[in-house]
Amino acid sequence: MSYGQGGPQSQWDPWKPNSQQPWSDGDGGQSPDWAALAEASETRNKRRRLLFIGGGVLAVVGIGTAVAMGVVSADDDGKAGRPTSSLPATAELPSGSGTPSFAPTSAPPPLDPKEFVASKAKDTAPNGPGIMFPGRQLTMGANVYKKGPTADTTACATAVKGSLPGVLTANGCTRLMRVTYTRDGIAVTVGVAVFDTEAQALKAKQQADRKSFVQALSGKGVAAFCNGAVCRSTTNSYGRYAYFTLTGFTDGKNVTTKDTQVFTTGDDLAQFTFQQIRRRGETQASAAAGE
């Protein structure tokens, strides 16, 4: 007859702290089921690993959310996306080196060439037909003019005709230089009247009329021209100089409005005379500036 412990047999659960491991005497007790215990331990370890992995995923998601929230917060703080109009004004920005300042120059203004041919007091350079009309020929554009005779007198009225003798005398002409150029059967005499002041030369120019002309200068291979024939004349002034041209055919033919070569010849010589008088002023102005 066997005797057992009274009451229901206790079941031992290795994961329950209050459970009791059954003990039996050497005769009727059974040894623990070690295989079952190992299987239960392995199951528990798997559960713990799953919990750890799940927790890690949740932690990463939480960090990603925090970063995203941080980025949004940076965009919304009004600085990262601030429009350029809210940048500091130029005056608020730090300034670099200042603009260098320069002392005002003391260079005198250029001298006016006309001033040096406007009066006898300043127009002191040597003068004469050979200086005013140098060389043996003159080139103006494509036209080449051969230089003929020259003349120079202080009796201005003797070298002009028509109403011009009275005009020059009344305004105090002190010298009259003449030169003649020829080209292709056309001759032109240039006369340059010299006065003491610009006002006298200008008045002489204004008083000259259609009957005021310089006397044609012939000789030195140039036949007489404009003796009774119709010729073309011009009158101009610059500074204290009044200058005149008389242009016509060397064969005595009358000049008409269709004779464009005659007009071109007269205009070329008038232009050259102006340039020579102005160059005279430029030379003296340059010399005065270098003193």
Side-chain angles (χ1 to χ4, degrees), residues 219-254:
K220 199 177 178 179
V222 180
F225 64 100
C226 292
N227 289 330
V230 176
C231 291
R232 188 224 183 191
S233 64
T234 65
T235 300
N236 291 282
S237 71
Y238 184 81
R240 70 185 187 113
Y241 299 88
Y243 53 100
F244 313 88
T245 66
L246 182 69
T247 312
F249 292 106
T250 55
D251 61 3
K253 184 175 60 175
N254 290 333

Side-chain angles (χ1 to χ4, degrees), residues 96-116:
S97 59
T99 303
S101 59
F102 300 94
T105 60
S106 58
L111 300 176
D112 184 4
K114 189 176 182 181
E115 181 181 344
F116 288 83

Side-chain angles (χ1 to χ4, degrees), residues 170-190:
N171 289 289
C173 176
T174 60
R175 185 178 189 178
L176 184 69
M177 297 174 284
R178 288 182 296 164
V179 62
T180 296
Y181 288 89
T182 59
R183 176 179 179 267
D184 296 338
I186 300 174
V188 54
T189 293
V190 181

Side-chain angles (χ1 to χ4, degrees), residues 89-174:
T90 304
E92 299 174 2
L93 296 176
S95 60
S97 59
T99 303
S101 59
F102 300 94
T105 60
S106 58
L111 300 176
D112 184 4
K114 189 176 182 181
E115 181 181 344
F116 288 83
V117 292
S119 68
K120 179 182 178 180
K122 284 197 171 184
D123 187 17
T124 59
N127 205 353
I131 296 174
M132 187 70 71
F133 303 99
R136 296 182 178 180
Q137 66 181 28
L138 168 65
T139 301
M140 295 290 288
N143 300 324
V144 179
Y145 301 97
K146 183 180 178 181
K147 183 179 176 181
T150 61
D152 187 11
T153 182
T154 57
C156 300
T158 63
V160 293
K161 288 186 174 183
S163 59
L164 192 54
V167 171
L168 297 184
T169 301
N171 289 289
C173 176
T174 60

